[in-house]
Amino acid sequence: MIAENLKIIQTQIQSACTCSGRDPNEVTLIAVSKTKPVSALREAYEAGVRDFGENKVQELIEKIPQLPDDIRWHMIGHLQRNKVKYIIGKVALIHSVDSLRLAEEISRESVRQGVDTDILIEINVAEEESKFGVSLRETPDLIKKIAGLPGINVKGLMTVAPYTAVSEKNRPYFVKMRELSVDIERKNIDNISMNILSMGMTGDFSVAVEEGATCVRVGTGIFGERDYTNQQPVR
Ligand SMILES: *Cc1c(COP(=O)(O)O)cnc(C)c1O
């Protein structure tokens, strides 16, 4: 089931690339495996997935030692400062940095462990009250401040677009994200690159790819619906 779902998603990414004249190799599919058992991740791994996304520190650090070493783990959920120390050196990319204080903690812990940590800035592109993320307006200033911190590299931007049954409705938000990323890139700030644009989920990843996403984060489309009522054990 998972292998078939992956094929479908990959085909859809390819058509979105064809539509917009992009190279499919520029787009990384991140399999969002939160709440799913290790057996499901293994199945995705066997089908070729090497990028997995999790949104909870506890779940992430329980899963990592149970799966092969060549997996790139992505922290995509809200990150509390007191939990930063558990994931530094273990994740390939933290997608959800939305404050200077969090960036400072990541910097401090990375320096302590002698590693560099790649991060994205999470943008609340639709300015939804319920969502984490920095506003478009505040982003350039935050990025300038983070640029001066040791042990941390800003690689781009991330957003969780509004929930909608009509993916076209999110196109203007994806366009805004790309424009912001281009604006920041033009400022040529030391330590800052805008190579990654992490946007698009099961409901809207095709539109996101058409508008320039380089990472799409797909959970339900690969693993099926998540069951939160009866939390499955991680093992
Ligand atoms: C859960 C989650 C996803 C995946 O959502 P689906 O709709 O299941 O594809 C993507 N990004 C973030 C930040 C998430 O928390």
Side-chain angles (χ1 to χ4, degrees):
M1 215 265 277
I2 290 174
E4 281 97 86
N5 289 346
L6 277 164
K7 275 210 190 95
I8 296 169
I9 306 274
Q10 268 145 2
T11 307
Q12 287 170 337
I13 291 174
Q14 272 159 17
S15 355
C17 285
T18 308
C19 273
S20 50
R22 298 188 60 203
D23 176 356
N25 294 319
E26 289 172 9
V27 184
T28 302
L29 171 60
I30 298 174
V32 176
S33 45
K34 63 193 188 197
T35 78
K36 298 295 174 181
V38 164
S39 58
L41 281 76
R42 252 186 226 119
E43 210 177 318
Y45 181 90
E46 293 304 325
V49 174
R50 293 297 178 269
D51 292 89
F52 288 88
E54 290 283 340
N55 70 336
K56 293 213 159 68
V57 168
Q58 179 66 30
E59 191 172 344
L60 184 59
I61 59 181
E62 276 181 47
K63 282 175 173 172
I64 290 175
Q66 300 184 64
L67 284 144
D69 289 339
D70 60 342
I71 289 176
R72 290 176 293 273
W73 294 96
H74 297 259
M75 175 59 192
I76 63 173
H78 183 64
L79 180 57
Q80 287 169 305
R81 279 179 296 138
N82 62 353
K83 297 200 173 147
V84 164
K85 57 179 176 288
Y86 301 117
I87 64 165
I88 295 303
K90 295 188 176 161
V91 294
L93 186 63
I94 301 175
H95 291 233
S96 44
V97 176
D98 63 356
S99 73
L100 182 59
R101 293 177 77 198
L102 175 59
E104 283 169 343
E105 183 58 31
I106 294 170
S107 164
R108 199 170 330 158
E109 190 59 29
S110 301
V111 170
R112 205 178 67 78
Q113 294 193 25
V115 296
D116 277 329
T117 302
D118 290 344
I119 65 154
L120 305 179
I121 306 299
E122 179 169 358
I123 314 294
N124 184 357
V125 67
E127 316 238 328
E128 292 172 279
E129 275 192 22
S130 58
K131 290 247 169 87
F132 292 107
V134 188
S135 70
L136 292 162
R137 190 173 29 80
E138 294 166 327
T139 305
D141 191 46
L142 174 65
I143 287 184
K144 269 182 225 143
K145 287 179 181 148
I146 295 177
L149 301 174
I152 186 167
N153 301 314
V154 178
K155 294 289 183 186
L157 308 177
M158 175 272 212
T159 198
V160 179
Y163 176 76
T164 170
V166 186
S167 59
E168 272 307 319
K169 285 196 180 155
N170 280 341
R171 190 180 296 274
Y173 295 125
F174 296 140
V175 170
K176 276 192 185 174
M177 288 290 292
R178 189 190 53 216
E179 288 172 351
L180 177 63
S181 142
V182 170
D183 284 350
I184 293 168
E185 182 105 74
R186 285 212 187 101
K187 295 186 200 288
N188 275 322
I189 310 167
D190 273 354
N191 259 334
I192 304 292
S193 75
M194 285 286 126
N195 297 335
I196 302 178
L197 205 43
S198 170
M199 57 188 194
M201 309 179 13
T202 297
D204 57 14
F205 69 87
S206 289
V207 178
V209 168
E210 286 166 17
E211 297 305 336
T214 69
C215 277
V216 293
R217 309 177 309 265
V218 178
T220 312
I222 296 172
F223 296 107
E225 293 291 338
R226 286 176 292 272
D227 184 357
Y228 287 107
T229 51
N230 178 19
Q231 271 284 355
Q232 286 162 330
V234 169
R235 261 164 263 266

